[in-house]
Amino acid sequence: SYELTQPPSVSVSPGQTARIPCSGDALPKHYAHWYQQKPGQAPVGVIYKYSERPSGIPERFSGSSSGTTVTLTISGVQAEDEADYYCQSVDSRGNYVVFGGGTKLTVL
Amino acid sequence: QVQLVESGGGLVKPGGSLRLSCAASGFTFGDYYMSWIRQAPGKGLEWISYMNSSGGIIYYIDSVKGRFTISRDNAKNSLYLQMNNLRADDTAVYYCARFGDYHDYWGQGTPVTVSS
């Protein structure tokens, strides 16, 4: 079955830039999206269609794509950004939804 | 505003059944695909199933095929998940989510515990 691969954890100091990669063979063909989940809360979309930002999401969140890897970038990380982040796309045929395993962002 | 409210979760014995509901408001429910997504304790998100607006397109993750059934009633603005033959590894918080360009709105989730 199709998989999206993310690092389990990323750590950055406040004010630095955090980059969270997600790799998958079908990513050049199908959009990727990113969700932020804080403890005890439902996920919230922070980037969709590789690089679009939903209304209400701070400008420090951005997304990019290169080949089979997409990357969520958080510039000027703040303490409130500490959360789990998940990428999501679909399989090569576009039928099955897949989430990456998630990356825990720690703000030191 | 868009609101999704799940209900129907609870404690059930292995082999038992539950029916989850998701009540939608604040948008034209019949215009959107809808998904069920779950999260086991301490684990990541796992998509389970989605259904298109008319109910003619349905997909399931392999681990629930033949046991879970997604359905919707557009007149009642509701999405359902019938879960049969439940197993311990189905224990999770179950979310419904609107599936437009992405999963742009989520409910708060309903917990399901499968245990004897």
Side-chain angles (χ1 to χ4, degrees), chain A residues 33 35 37 41-43 45 48-49 54 86 88 94-97 99 101, chain B residues 37 39 43-45 47 50 59-60 65 95 99 101-103 106-107:
Chain A
H33 320 292
Y35 304 88
Q37 187 181 33
Q41 298 183 18
Y48 68 100
K49 289 185 176 180
Y86 297 89
Q88 179 251 301
N95 294 333
Y96 293 89
V97 173
F99 285 93
Chain B
I37 296 157
Q39 186 169 36
K43 302 297 184 182
L45 301 171
W47 168 79
Y50 70 71
Y59 285 94
Y60 298 98
K65 282 179 184 175
Y95 296 98
F99 191 12
D101 288 332
Y102 65 112
H103 291 96
W106 298 60

PDB file of all heavy atoms in Angstrom, chain A residues 33 35 37 41-43 45 48-49 54 86 88 94-97 99 101, chain B residues 37 39 43-45 47 50 59-60 65 95 99 101-103 106-107:
ATOM      1  N   HIS A  33      -1.224  18.032   1.314  1.00  0.00           N
ATOM      2  CA  HIS A  33      -1.806  18.979   2.268  1.00  0.00           C
ATOM      3  C   HIS A  33      -1.164  18.735   3.627  1.00  0.00           C
ATOM      4  O   HIS A  33      -0.648  17.646   3.891  1.00  0.00           O
ATOM      5  CB  HIS A  33      -3.323  18.781   2.369  1.00  0.00           C
ATOM      6  CG  HIS A  33      -3.997  18.516   1.059  1.00  0.00           C
ATOM      7  ND1 HIS A  33      -4.089  19.465   0.067  1.00  0.00           N
ATOM      8  CD2 HIS A  33      -4.572  17.390   0.560  1.00  0.00           C
ATOM      9  CE1 HIS A  33      -4.709  18.951  -0.979  1.00  0.00           C
ATOM     10  NE2 HIS A  33      -5.009  17.682  -0.708  1.00  0.00           N
ATOM     11  N   TYR A  35      -1.557  19.275   7.984  1.00  0.00           N
ATOM     12  CA  TYR A  35      -2.447  19.520   9.116  1.00  0.00           C
ATOM     13  C   TYR A  35      -1.621  19.662  10.393  1.00  0.00           C
ATOM     14  O   TYR A  35      -0.619  18.957  10.575  1.00  0.00           O
ATOM     15  CB  TYR A  35      -3.445  18.366   9.292  1.00  0.00           C
ATOM     16  CG  TYR A  35      -4.256  18.102   8.050  1.00  0.00           C
ATOM     17  CD1 TYR A  35      -3.788  17.234   7.073  1.00  0.00           C
ATOM     18  CD2 TYR A  35      -5.475  18.733   7.836  1.00  0.00           C
ATOM     19  CE1 TYR A  35      -4.505  17.006   5.911  1.00  0.00           C
ATOM     20  CE2 TYR A  35      -6.209  18.506   6.685  1.00  0.00           C
ATOM     21  CZ  TYR A  35      -5.714  17.640   5.730  1.00  0.00           C
ATOM     22  OH  TYR A  35      -6.425  17.418   4.579  1.00  0.00           O
ATOM     23  N   GLN A  37      -1.930  19.388  14.548  1.00  0.00           N
ATOM     24  CA  GLN A  37      -2.783  18.871  15.613  1.00  0.00           C
ATOM     25  C   GLN A  37      -2.113  19.097  16.959  1.00  0.00           C
ATOM     26  O   GLN A  37      -1.006  18.619  17.203  1.00  0.00           O
ATOM     27  CB  GLN A  37      -3.078  17.378  15.420  1.00  0.00           C
ATOM     28  CG  GLN A  37      -4.098  16.846  16.429  1.00  0.00           C
ATOM     29  CD  GLN A  37      -4.379  15.372  16.274  1.00  0.00           C
ATOM     30  OE1 GLN A  37      -3.515  14.593  15.902  1.00  0.00           O
ATOM     31  NE2 GLN A  37      -5.625  14.973  16.552  1.00  0.00           N
ATOM     32  N   GLN A  41      -6.953  18.074  20.561  1.00  0.00           N
ATOM     33  CA  GLN A  41      -7.732  18.837  19.589  1.00  0.00           C
ATOM     34  C   GLN A  41      -7.802  18.109  18.251  1.00  0.00           C
ATOM     35  O   GLN A  41      -6.983  17.240  17.954  1.00  0.00           O
ATOM     36  CB  GLN A  41      -7.103  20.221  19.385  1.00  0.00           C
ATOM     37  CG  GLN A  41      -7.076  21.082  20.622  1.00  0.00           C
ATOM     38  CD  GLN A  41      -6.521  22.466  20.358  1.00  0.00           C
ATOM     39  OE1 GLN A  41      -6.453  22.931  19.219  1.00  0.00           O
ATOM     40  NE2 GLN A  41      -6.119  23.153  21.418  1.00  0.00           N
ATOM     41  N   ALA A  42      -8.798  18.480  17.469  1.00  0.00           N
ATOM     42  CA  ALA A  42      -8.899  17.964  16.112  1.00  0.00           C
ATOM     43  C   ALA A  42      -7.834  18.622  15.230  1.00  0.00           C
ATOM     44  O   ALA A  42      -7.384  19.733  15.513  1.00  0.00           O
ATOM     45  CB  ALA A  42     -10.283  18.237  15.545  1.00  0.00           C
ATOM     46  N   PRO A  43      -7.419  17.941  14.176  1.00  0.00           N
ATOM     47  CA  PRO A  43      -6.451  18.549  13.244  1.00  0.00           C
ATOM     48  C   PRO A  43      -7.027  19.795  12.566  1.00  0.00           C
ATOM     49  O   PRO A  43      -8.237  19.920  12.389  1.00  0.00           O
ATOM     50  CB  PRO A  43      -6.206  17.436  12.230  1.00  0.00           C
ATOM     51  CG  PRO A  43      -6.551  16.176  12.946  1.00  0.00           C
ATOM     52  CD  PRO A  43      -7.701  16.548  13.834  1.00  0.00           C
ATOM     53  N   GLY A  45      -6.131  22.242   9.072  1.00  0.00           N
ATOM     54  CA  GLY A  45      -5.332  22.391   7.866  1.00  0.00           C
ATOM     55  C   GLY A  45      -4.512  23.657   7.895  1.00  0.00           C
ATOM     56  O   GLY A  45      -5.055  24.732   8.165  1.00  0.00           O
ATOM     57  N   TYR A  48      -2.645  23.644   1.943  1.00  0.00           N
ATOM     58  CA  TYR A  48      -3.306  22.714   1.043  1.00  0.00           C
ATOM     59  C   TYR A  48      -2.803  22.931  -0.380  1.00  0.00           C
ATOM     60  O   TYR A  48      -2.248  23.997  -0.712  1.00  0.00           O
ATOM     61  CB  TYR A  48      -4.829  22.831   1.134  1.00  0.00           C
ATOM     62  CG  TYR A  48      -5.423  24.121   0.625  1.00  0.00           C
ATOM     63  CD1 TYR A  48      -5.993  24.190  -0.642  1.00  0.00           C
ATOM     64  CD2 TYR A  48      -5.432  25.271   1.406  1.00  0.00           C
ATOM     65  CE1 TYR A  48      -6.549  25.374  -1.112  1.00  0.00           C
ATOM     66  CE2 TYR A  48      -5.983  26.450   0.953  1.00  0.00           C
ATOM     67  CZ  TYR A  48      -6.542  26.501  -0.310  1.00  0.00           C
ATOM     68  OH  TYR A  48      -7.090  27.672  -0.776  1.00  0.00           O
ATOM     69  N   LYS A  49      -2.984  21.939  -1.214  1.00  0.00           N
ATOM     70  CA  LYS A  49      -2.492  21.992  -2.601  1.00  0.00           C
ATOM     71  C   LYS A  49      -1.036  22.456  -2.642  1.00  0.00           C
ATOM     72  O   LYS A  49      -0.696  23.417  -3.354  1.00  0.00           O
ATOM     73  CB  LYS A  49      -3.375  22.939  -3.429  1.00  0.00           C
ATOM     74  CG  LYS A  49      -4.772  22.395  -3.701  1.00  0.00           C
ATOM     75  CD  LYS A  49      -5.512  23.349  -4.631  1.00  0.00           C
ATOM     76  CE  LYS A  49      -6.873  22.842  -5.021  1.00  0.00           C
ATOM     77  NZ  LYS A  49      -7.591  23.759  -5.927  1.00  0.00           N
ATOM     78  N   PRO A  54      -4.728  28.362   4.041  1.00  0.00           N
ATOM     79  CA  PRO A  54      -6.134  28.702   4.342  1.00  0.00           C
ATOM     80  C   PRO A  54      -6.220  30.043   5.066  1.00  0.00           C
ATOM     81  O   PRO A  54      -5.256  30.480   5.713  1.00  0.00           O
ATOM     82  CB  PRO A  54      -6.587  27.562   5.259  1.00  0.00           C
ATOM     83  CG  PRO A  54      -5.601  26.459   5.039  1.00  0.00           C
ATOM     84  CD  PRO A  54      -4.310  27.119   4.712  1.00  0.00           C
ATOM     85  N   TYR A  86       0.974  16.572  10.126  1.00  0.00           N
ATOM     86  CA  TYR A  86       0.736  15.441   9.244  1.00  0.00           C
ATOM     87  C   TYR A  86       0.616  15.915   7.797  1.00  0.00           C
ATOM     88  O   TYR A  86      -0.121  16.876   7.513  1.00  0.00           O
ATOM     89  CB  TYR A  86      -0.564  14.725   9.613  1.00  0.00           C
ATOM     90  CG  TYR A  86      -0.577  14.102  10.984  1.00  0.00           C
ATOM     91  CD1 TYR A  86      -0.988  14.821  12.097  1.00  0.00           C
ATOM     92  CD2 TYR A  86      -0.163  12.778  11.164  1.00  0.00           C
ATOM     93  CE1 TYR A  86      -1.009  14.249  13.357  1.00  0.00           C
ATOM     94  CE2 TYR A  86      -0.174  12.198  12.426  1.00  0.00           C
ATOM     95  CZ  TYR A  86      -0.598  12.940  13.513  1.00  0.00           C
ATOM     96  OH  TYR A  86      -0.609  12.356  14.753  1.00  0.00           O
ATOM     97  N   GLN A  88      -0.732  14.829   3.972  1.00  0.00           N
ATOM     98  CA  GLN A  88      -1.811  13.973   3.449  1.00  0.00           C
ATOM     99  C   GLN A  88      -1.870  14.119   1.938  1.00  0.00           C
ATOM    100  O   GLN A  88      -1.734  15.220   1.399  1.00  0.00           O
ATOM    101  CB  GLN A  88      -3.153  14.355   4.074  1.00  0.00           C
ATOM    102  CG  GLN A  88      -4.337  13.523   3.561  1.00  0.00           C
ATOM    103  CD  GLN A  88      -5.278  14.318   2.679  1.00  0.00           C
ATOM    104  OE1 GLN A  88      -5.830  15.330   3.109  1.00  0.00           O
ATOM    105  NE2 GLN A  88      -5.482  13.872   1.450  1.00  0.00           N
ATOM    106  N   GLY A  94      -5.253   8.051  -7.263  1.00  0.00           N
ATOM    107  CA  GLY A  94      -6.090   9.130  -6.771  1.00  0.00           C
ATOM    108  C   GLY A  94      -7.328   8.679  -6.034  1.00  0.00           C
ATOM    109  O   GLY A  94      -8.251   9.468  -5.828  1.00  0.00           O
ATOM    110  N   ASN A  95      -7.353   7.413  -5.614  1.00  0.00           N
ATOM    111  CA  ASN A  95      -8.555   6.876  -4.991  1.00  0.00           C
ATOM    112  C   ASN A  95      -8.497   6.814  -3.474  1.00  0.00           C
ATOM    113  O   ASN A  95      -9.511   7.006  -2.810  1.00  0.00           O
ATOM    114  CB  ASN A  95      -8.825   5.457  -5.523  1.00  0.00           C
ATOM    115  CG  ASN A  95      -9.180   5.461  -7.002  1.00  0.00           C
ATOM    116  OD1 ASN A  95      -9.699   6.448  -7.525  1.00  0.00           O
ATOM    117  ND2 ASN A  95      -8.897   4.371  -7.687  1.00  0.00           N
ATOM    118  N   TYR A  96      -7.332   6.481  -2.936  1.00  0.00           N
ATOM    119  CA  TYR A  96      -7.226   6.247  -1.498  1.00  0.00           C
ATOM    120  C   TYR A  96      -6.480   7.391  -0.832  1.00  0.00           C
ATOM    121  O   TYR A  96      -5.399   7.786  -1.276  1.00  0.00           O
ATOM    122  CB  TYR A  96      -6.503   4.925  -1.222  1.00  0.00           C
ATOM    123  CG  TYR A  96      -7.299   3.726  -1.662  1.00  0.00           C
ATOM    124  CD1 TYR A  96      -7.177   3.230  -2.956  1.00  0.00           C
ATOM    125  CD2 TYR A  96      -8.194   3.107  -0.792  1.00  0.00           C
ATOM    126  CE1 TYR A  96      -7.928   2.144  -3.371  1.00  0.00           C
ATOM    127  CE2 TYR A  96      -8.945   2.016  -1.199  1.00  0.00           C
ATOM    128  CZ  TYR A  96      -8.808   1.541  -2.490  1.00  0.00           C
ATOM    129  OH  TYR A  96      -9.558   0.467  -2.896  1.00  0.00           O
ATOM    130  N   VAL A  97      -7.052   7.892   0.250  1.00  0.00           N
ATOM    131  CA  VAL A  97      -6.428   8.966   1.022  1.00  0.00           C
ATOM    132  C   VAL A  97      -5.350   8.365   1.924  1.00  0.00           C
ATOM    133  O   VAL A  97      -5.533   7.290   2.510  1.00  0.00           O
ATOM    134  CB  VAL A  97      -7.477   9.691   1.875  1.00  0.00           C
ATOM    135  CG1 VAL A  97      -6.827  10.699   2.805  1.00  0.00           C
ATOM    136  CG2 VAL A  97      -8.521  10.353   0.974  1.00  0.00           C
ATOM    137  N   PHE A  99      -2.330   9.459   4.959  1.00  0.00           N
ATOM    138  CA  PHE A  99      -1.662  10.399   5.843  1.00  0.00           C
ATOM    139  C   PHE A  99      -0.236   9.909   6.114  1.00  0.00           C
ATOM    140  O   PHE A  99       0.006   8.698   6.209  1.00  0.00           O
ATOM    141  CB  PHE A  99      -2.386  10.505   7.192  1.00  0.00           C
ATOM    142  CG  PHE A  99      -3.663  11.295   7.139  1.00  0.00           C
ATOM    143  CD1 PHE A  99      -4.875  10.647   6.930  1.00  0.00           C
ATOM    144  CD2 PHE A  99      -3.661  12.663   7.311  1.00  0.00           C
ATOM    145  CE1 PHE A  99      -6.066  11.364   6.881  1.00  0.00           C
ATOM    146  CE2 PHE A  99      -4.843  13.389   7.257  1.00  0.00           C
ATOM    147  CZ  PHE A  99      -6.035  12.735   7.039  1.00  0.00           C
ATOM    148  N   GLY A 101       2.998   9.585   8.714  1.00  0.00           N
ATOM    149  CA  GLY A 101       2.996   9.125  10.098  1.00  0.00           C
ATOM    150  C   GLY A 101       2.987  10.232  11.143  1.00  0.00           C
ATOM    151  O   GLY A 101       2.757   9.971  12.320  1.00  0.00           O
TER     152      GLY A 101
ATOM    153  N   ILE B  37     -12.091   9.540   9.527  1.00  0.00           N
ATOM    154  CA  ILE B  37     -10.670   9.423   9.838  1.00  0.00           C
ATOM    155  C   ILE B  37     -10.572   9.068  11.309  1.00  0.00           C
ATOM    156  O   ILE B  37     -11.339   9.587  12.126  1.00  0.00           O
ATOM    157  CB  ILE B  37      -9.955  10.756   9.542  1.00  0.00           C
ATOM    158  CG1 ILE B  37     -10.020  11.081   8.043  1.00  0.00           C
ATOM    159  CG2 ILE B  37      -8.499  10.718  10.012  1.00  0.00           C
ATOM    160  CD1 ILE B  37      -9.851  12.543   7.718  1.00  0.00           C
ATOM    161  N   GLN B  39      -7.984   7.999  14.888  1.00  0.00           N
ATOM    162  CA  GLN B  39      -6.677   8.155  15.531  1.00  0.00           C
ATOM    163  C   GLN B  39      -6.654   7.287  16.769  1.00  0.00           C
ATOM    164  O   GLN B  39      -7.344   7.569  17.756  1.00  0.00           O
ATOM    165  CB  GLN B  39      -6.422   9.615  15.889  1.00  0.00           C
ATOM    166  CG  GLN B  39      -5.038   9.893  16.416  1.00  0.00           C
ATOM    167  CD  GLN B  39      -4.754  11.387  16.493  1.00  0.00           C
ATOM    168  OE1 GLN B  39      -5.623  12.195  16.790  1.00  0.00           O
ATOM    169  NE2 GLN B  39      -3.509  11.769  16.215  1.00  0.00           N
ATOM    170  N   LYS B  43      -1.290   7.473  18.577  1.00  0.00           N
ATOM    171  CA  LYS B  43      -0.871   7.184  17.202  1.00  0.00           C
ATOM    172  C   LYS B  43      -1.260   8.302  16.251  1.00  0.00           C
ATOM    173  O   LYS B  43      -1.837   9.316  16.656  1.00  0.00           O
ATOM    174  CB  LYS B  43      -1.510   5.862  16.736  1.00  0.00           C
ATOM    175  CG  LYS B  43      -1.171   4.671  17.609  1.00  0.00           C
ATOM    176  CD  LYS B  43       0.312   4.359  17.605  1.00  0.00           C
ATOM    177  CE  LYS B  43       0.609   3.099  18.405  1.00  0.00           C
ATOM    178  NZ  LYS B  43       2.068   2.818  18.456  1.00  0.00           N
ATOM    179  N   GLY B  44      -0.934   8.113  14.980  1.00  0.00           N
ATOM    180  CA  GLY B  44      -1.217   9.120  13.975  1.00  0.00           C
ATOM    181  C   GLY B  44      -2.610   9.005  13.386  1.00  0.00           C
ATOM    182  O   GLY B  44      -3.421   8.159  13.779  1.00  0.00           O
ATOM    183  N   LEU B  45      -2.873   9.881  12.424  1.00  0.00           N
ATOM    184  CA  LEU B  45      -4.160   9.889  11.746  1.00  0.00           C
ATOM    185  C   LEU B  45      -4.235   8.761  10.724  1.00  0.00           C
ATOM    186  O   LEU B  45      -3.262   8.486  10.020  1.00  0.00           O
ATOM    187  CB  LEU B  45      -4.370  11.232  11.036  1.00  0.00           C
ATOM    188  CG  LEU B  45      -4.339  12.463  11.932  1.00  0.00           C
ATOM    189  CD1 LEU B  45      -4.346  13.730  11.087  1.00  0.00           C
ATOM    190  CD2 LEU B  45      -5.511  12.458  12.899  1.00  0.00           C
ATOM    191  N   TRP B  47      -6.881   7.566   7.670  1.00  0.00           N
ATOM    192  CA  TRP B  47      -8.106   7.688   6.903  1.00  0.00           C
ATOM    193  C   TRP B  47      -8.786   6.334   6.812  1.00  0.00           C
ATOM    194  O   TRP B  47      -8.130   5.303   6.616  1.00  0.00           O
ATOM    195  CB  TRP B  47      -7.790   8.205   5.507  1.00  0.00           C
ATOM    196  CG  TRP B  47      -8.941   8.083   4.554  1.00  0.00           C
ATOM    197  CD1 TRP B  47     -10.020   8.907   4.458  1.00  0.00           C
ATOM    198  CD2 TRP B  47      -9.130   7.054   3.595  1.00  0.00           C
ATOM    199  NE1 TRP B  47     -10.872   8.451   3.477  1.00  0.00           N
ATOM    200  CE2 TRP B  47     -10.352   7.321   2.930  1.00  0.00           C
ATOM    201  CE3 TRP B  47      -8.398   5.926   3.228  1.00  0.00           C
ATOM    202  CZ2 TRP B  47     -10.850   6.498   1.926  1.00  0.00           C
ATOM    203  CZ3 TRP B  47      -8.880   5.105   2.226  1.00  0.00           C
ATOM    204  CH2 TRP B  47     -10.100   5.408   1.583  1.00  0.00           C
ATOM    205  N   TYR B  50     -14.169   7.368   2.498  1.00  0.00           N
ATOM    206  CA  TYR B  50     -14.868   8.572   2.053  1.00  0.00           C
ATOM    207  C   TYR B  50     -15.988   8.194   1.106  1.00  0.00           C
ATOM    208  O   TYR B  50     -16.020   7.106   0.525  1.00  0.00           O
ATOM    209  CB  TYR B  50     -13.942   9.607   1.436  1.00  0.00           C
ATOM    210  CG  TYR B  50     -13.331   9.299   0.082  1.00  0.00           C
ATOM    211  CD1 TYR B  50     -14.092   9.298  -1.083  1.00  0.00           C
ATOM    212  CD2 TYR B  50     -11.962   9.059  -0.031  1.00  0.00           C
ATOM    213  CE1 TYR B  50     -13.522   9.046  -2.316  1.00  0.00           C
ATOM    214  CE2 TYR B  50     -11.386   8.809  -1.260  1.00  0.00           C
ATOM    215  CZ  TYR B  50     -12.156   8.804  -2.397  1.00  0.00           C
ATOM    216  OH  TYR B  50     -11.579   8.552  -3.623  1.00  0.00           O
ATOM    217  N   TYR B  59     -14.824   4.617  -0.982  1.00  0.00           N
ATOM    218  CA  TYR B  59     -13.577   3.869  -0.790  1.00  0.00           C
ATOM    219  C   TYR B  59     -13.355   3.626   0.697  1.00  0.00           C
ATOM    220  O   TYR B  59     -13.732   4.441   1.534  1.00  0.00           O
ATOM    221  CB  TYR B  59     -12.381   4.626  -1.376  1.00  0.00           C
ATOM    222  CG  TYR B  59     -12.322   4.562  -2.884  1.00  0.00           C
ATOM    223  CD1 TYR B  59     -12.882   5.567  -3.671  1.00  0.00           C
ATOM    224  CD2 TYR B  59     -11.721   3.485  -3.534  1.00  0.00           C
ATOM    225  CE1 TYR B  59     -12.846   5.495  -5.054  1.00  0.00           C
ATOM    226  CE2 TYR B  59     -11.675   3.407  -4.920  1.00  0.00           C
ATOM    227  CZ  TYR B  59     -12.249   4.419  -5.670  1.00  0.00           C
ATOM    228  OH  TYR B  59     -12.211   4.345  -7.037  1.00  0.00           O
ATOM    229  N   TYR B  60     -12.722   2.483   0.980  1.00  0.00           N
ATOM    230  CA  TYR B  60     -12.381   2.102   2.343  1.00  0.00           C
ATOM    231  C   TYR B  60     -10.918   1.689   2.407  1.00  0.00           C
ATOM    232  O   TYR B  60     -10.375   1.120   1.458  1.00  0.00           O
ATOM    233  CB  TYR B  60     -13.200   0.897   2.812  1.00  0.00           C
ATOM    234  CG  TYR B  60     -14.697   1.089   2.859  1.00  0.00           C
ATOM    235  CD1 TYR B  60     -15.496   0.650   1.815  1.00  0.00           C
ATOM    236  CD2 TYR B  60     -15.311   1.671   3.963  1.00  0.00           C
ATOM    237  CE1 TYR B  60     -16.870   0.804   1.852  1.00  0.00           C
ATOM    238  CE2 TYR B  60     -16.682   1.823   4.020  1.00  0.00           C
ATOM    239  CZ  TYR B  60     -17.456   1.390   2.955  1.00  0.00           C
ATOM    240  OH  TYR B  60     -18.824   1.537   3.002  1.00  0.00           O
ATOM    241  N   LYS B  65     -12.591  -2.981   5.255  1.00  0.00           N
ATOM    242  CA  LYS B  65     -13.469  -3.474   4.196  1.00  0.00           C
ATOM    243  C   LYS B  65     -14.228  -4.702   4.650  1.00  0.00           C
ATOM    244  O   LYS B  65     -13.666  -5.613   5.237  1.00  0.00           O
ATOM    245  CB  LYS B  65     -12.652  -3.809   2.944  1.00  0.00           C
ATOM    246  CG  LYS B  65     -12.240  -2.604   2.127  1.00  0.00           C
ATOM    247  CD  LYS B  65     -11.420  -3.026   0.906  1.00  0.00           C
ATOM    248  CE  LYS B  65     -10.933  -1.815   0.134  1.00  0.00           C
ATOM    249  NZ  LYS B  65     -10.042  -2.183  -0.990  1.00  0.00           N
ATOM    250  N   TYR B  95     -13.100  10.740  13.680  1.00  0.00           N
ATOM    251  CA  TYR B  95     -13.453  12.072  13.215  1.00  0.00           C
ATOM    252  C   TYR B  95     -14.191  11.979  11.871  1.00  0.00           C
ATOM    253  O   TYR B  95     -13.816  11.173  11.013  1.00  0.00           O
ATOM    254  CB  TYR B  95     -12.205  12.911  12.952  1.00  0.00           C
ATOM    255  CG  TYR B  95     -11.336  13.211  14.145  1.00  0.00           C
ATOM    256  CD1 TYR B  95     -10.196  12.461  14.412  1.00  0.00           C
ATOM    257  CD2 TYR B  95     -11.615  14.292  14.981  1.00  0.00           C
ATOM    258  CE1 TYR B  95      -9.372  12.758  15.482  1.00  0.00           C
ATOM    259  CE2 TYR B  95     -10.796  14.609  16.058  1.00  0.00           C
ATOM    260  CZ  TYR B  95      -9.680  13.828  16.300  1.00  0.00           C
ATOM    261  OH  TYR B  95      -8.865  14.134  17.365  1.00  0.00           O
ATOM    262  N   PHE B  99     -14.480  16.914   2.902  1.00  0.00           N
ATOM    263  CA  PHE B  99     -13.409  16.605   1.961  1.00  0.00           C
ATOM    264  C   PHE B  99     -13.649  17.403   0.689  1.00  0.00           C
ATOM    265  O   PHE B  99     -14.272  16.931  -0.248  1.00  0.00           O
ATOM    266  CB  PHE B  99     -13.395  15.102   1.703  1.00  0.00           C
ATOM    267  CG  PHE B  99     -12.190  14.587   0.964  1.00  0.00           C
ATOM    268  CD1 PHE B  99     -11.066  15.370   0.754  1.00  0.00           C
ATOM    269  CD2 PHE B  99     -12.184  13.279   0.482  1.00  0.00           C
ATOM    270  CE1 PHE B  99      -9.958  14.875   0.079  1.00  0.00           C
ATOM    271  CE2 PHE B  99     -11.077  12.771  -0.191  1.00  0.00           C
ATOM    272  CZ  PHE B  99      -9.966  13.571  -0.385  1.00  0.00           C
ATOM    273  N   ASP B 101     -11.182  20.489  -1.360  1.00  0.00           N
ATOM    274  CA  ASP B 101      -9.821  20.430  -1.901  1.00  0.00           C
ATOM    275  C   ASP B 101      -8.919  19.632  -0.965  1.00  0.00           C
ATOM    276  O   ASP B 101      -7.942  19.015  -1.396  1.00  0.00           O
ATOM    277  CB  ASP B 101      -9.243  21.833  -2.075  1.00  0.00           C
ATOM    278  CG  ASP B 101      -9.899  22.575  -3.225  1.00  0.00           C
ATOM    279  OD1 ASP B 101     -10.362  21.911  -4.177  1.00  0.00           O
ATOM    280  OD2 ASP B 101      -9.950  23.817  -3.172  1.00  0.00           O
ATOM    281  N   TYR B 102      -9.224  19.667   0.292  1.00  0.00           N
ATOM    282  CA  TYR B 102      -8.532  18.908   1.327  1.00  0.00           C
ATOM    283  C   TYR B 102      -9.547  18.716   2.452  1.00  0.00           C
ATOM    284  O   TYR B 102     -10.705  19.087   2.310  1.00  0.00           O
ATOM    285  CB  TYR B 102      -7.272  19.655   1.785  1.00  0.00           C
ATOM    286  CG  TYR B 102      -7.529  20.982   2.485  1.00  0.00           C
ATOM    287  CD1 TYR B 102      -7.250  21.140   3.836  1.00  0.00           C
ATOM    288  CD2 TYR B 102      -8.033  22.077   1.792  1.00  0.00           C
ATOM    289  CE1 TYR B 102      -7.475  22.340   4.478  1.00  0.00           C
ATOM    290  CE2 TYR B 102      -8.278  23.287   2.432  1.00  0.00           C
ATOM    291  CZ  TYR B 102      -7.988  23.411   3.773  1.00  0.00           C
ATOM    292  OH  TYR B 102      -8.224  24.609   4.399  1.00  0.00           O
ATOM    293  N   HIS B 103      -9.130  18.132   3.549  1.00  0.00           N
ATOM    294  CA  HIS B 103     -10.038  17.972   4.683  1.00  0.00           C
ATOM    295  C   HIS B 103     -10.060  19.284   5.453  1.00  0.00           C
ATOM    296  O   HIS B 103      -9.267  19.491   6.375  1.00  0.00           O
ATOM    297  CB  HIS B 103      -9.580  16.800   5.555  1.00  0.00           C
ATOM    298  CG  HIS B 103      -9.760  15.473   4.895  1.00  0.00           C
ATOM    299  ND1 HIS B 103      -8.736  14.845   4.207  1.00  0.00           N
ATOM    300  CD2 HIS B 103     -10.855  14.682   4.767  1.00  0.00           C
ATOM    301  CE1 HIS B 103      -9.197  13.707   3.705  1.00  0.00           C
ATOM    302  NE2 HIS B 103     -10.484  13.573   4.030  1.00  0.00           N
ATOM    303  N   TRP B 106     -13.162  19.640  10.374  1.00  0.00           N
ATOM    304  CA  TRP B 106     -13.197  18.390  11.138  1.00  0.00           C
ATOM    305  C   TRP B 106     -14.148  18.558  12.319  1.00  0.00           C
ATOM    306  O   TRP B 106     -14.272  19.653  12.889  1.00  0.00           O
ATOM    307  CB  TRP B 106     -11.808  18.061  11.686  1.00  0.00           C
ATOM    308  CG  TRP B 106     -10.743  17.844  10.670  1.00  0.00           C
ATOM    309  CD1 TRP B 106     -10.285  18.724   9.723  1.00  0.00           C
ATOM    310  CD2 TRP B 106      -9.943  16.665  10.521  1.00  0.00           C
ATOM    311  NE1 TRP B 106      -9.271  18.172   8.993  1.00  0.00           N
ATOM    312  CE2 TRP B 106      -9.040  16.904   9.465  1.00  0.00           C
ATOM    313  CE3 TRP B 106      -9.903  15.435  11.178  1.00  0.00           C
ATOM    314  CZ2 TRP B 106      -8.108  15.952   9.040  1.00  0.00           C
ATOM    315  CZ3 TRP B 106      -8.971  14.498  10.767  1.00  0.00           C
ATOM    316  CH2 TRP B 106      -8.088  14.749   9.705  1.00  0.00           C
ATOM    317  N   GLY B 107     -14.769  17.450  12.730  1.00  0.00           N
ATOM    318  CA  GLY B 107     -15.497  17.455  13.979  1.00  0.00           C
ATOM    319  C   GLY B 107     -14.533  17.308  15.146  1.00  0.00           C
ATOM    320  O   GLY B 107     -13.319  17.222  14.968  1.00  0.00           O
TER     321      GLY B 107
END
